[in-house]
Amino acid sequence: MASEHDEGRSGERAASQDGAAAAGQAPDQKTAHPETGGPKTADPQTAAAVAAAEAARPQNGESVRVDSWIWAVRLIKTRSLGATACRGGHVRVNGERVKPAHSVRVGDEVRLRHEGRERVVVVKRLIRKRVGAPVAVQCYVDNSPPPPPREAVAPAGIRDRGAGRPTKRDRRDMERLRGLEGLARARRDAETRP
């Protein structure tokens, strides 16, 4: 049995559908977003996340730090990793190495070298707080080269079950196979030092 409260809600829904029909639209049809021109999402969770991103936007005249922005758009897991990447020279804005406190503007090209891959993104929206992945990808244009295929990366080396731990010789062979000969040589030199 429906209560008066439930009937009121269904009446509101019917009125909103009638308004959409009067405007010449289907009731569940997606409409263009006024700011971005892209489609509005009917999903309430995504809409809430977009609203949160808008709230996290800096006010007029305020700027966003590069380490904070690359963390907020989920290019890096933590802000401290972003600051470390900037200090190490792994972040470039418009071709120049930058410090963590460098201000980012809309239209800047940010190049980030992280976990063996280079990401090239153009800033589309400034945000200060970390947002979900569907909203984060709306904040930049990704011009990154495609990641290398998985076959190009050498496998870790699969051992037969029950073969035990790898010997020193096995470990050195695996490192040589992966192209980590310099690491093996440095390890051997460290073992022979007094």
Side-chain angles (χ1 to χ4, degrees):
M1 180 168 145
S3 66
E4 290 178 17
H5 184 69
D6 292 339
E7 289 174 11
R9 281 194 177 170
S10 63
E12 289 173 8
R13 262 191 241 123
S16 69
Q17 288 176 356
D18 291 340
Q25 299 174 356
D28 293 334
Q29 182 181 2
K30 293 181 181 181
T31 59
H33 190 277
E35 236 178 89
T36 62
K40 279 187 181 178
T41 56
D43 182 23
Q45 290 178 337
T46 306
V50 169
E54 291 298 323
R57 221 176 185 176
Q59 302 301 321
N60 289 338
E62 290 184 33
S63 60
V64 178
R65 294 169 53 115
V66 68
D67 63 339
S68 179
W69 187 80
I70 62 177
W71 166 74
V73 296
R74 306 180 83 84
L75 295 177
I76 275 188
K77 287 187 179 182
T78 64
R79 183 172 168 193
S80 63
L81 276 177
T84 304
C86 291
R87 279 190 228 105
H90 299 290
V91 178
R92 293 176 179 266
V93 176
N94 297 328
E96 295 182 23
R97 285 182 171 180
V98 293
K99 293 183 177 181
H102 182 81
S103 296
V104 179
R105 295 182 195 92
V106 174
D108 284 351
E109 180 189 65
V110 178
R111 290 179 174 265
L112 168 70
R113 212 175 36 217
H114 181 62
E115 294 179 349
R117 182 174 177 214
E118 184 173 20
R119 300 289 306 264
V120 181
V121 296
V122 177
V123 179
K124 209 163 92 173
R125 180 186 294 168
L126 295 176
I127 58 172
R128 238 186 275 127
K129 294 182 181 176
R130 193 169 172 99
V131 293
V135 179
V137 296
Q138 296 175 0
C139 297
Y140 59 85
V141 178
D142 196 355
N143 296 331
S144 304
R150 286 198 175 268
E151 297 83 40
V153 179
I158 301 169
R159 295 182 54 81
D160 294 330
R161 188 173 181 91
R165 291 179 58 180
T167 63
K168 239 185 214 186
R169 178 187 238 168
D170 292 339
R171 180 178 49 79
R172 288 179 183 155
D173 288 341
M174 285 189 289
E175 286 175 351
R176 198 171 303 116
L177 178 68
R178 287 191 211 139
L180 302 173
E181 292 177 41
L183 179 65
R185 211 172 286 124
R187 200 178 273 153
R188 260 185 269 134
D189 291 345
E191 289 173 1
T192 58
R193 285 190 201 135

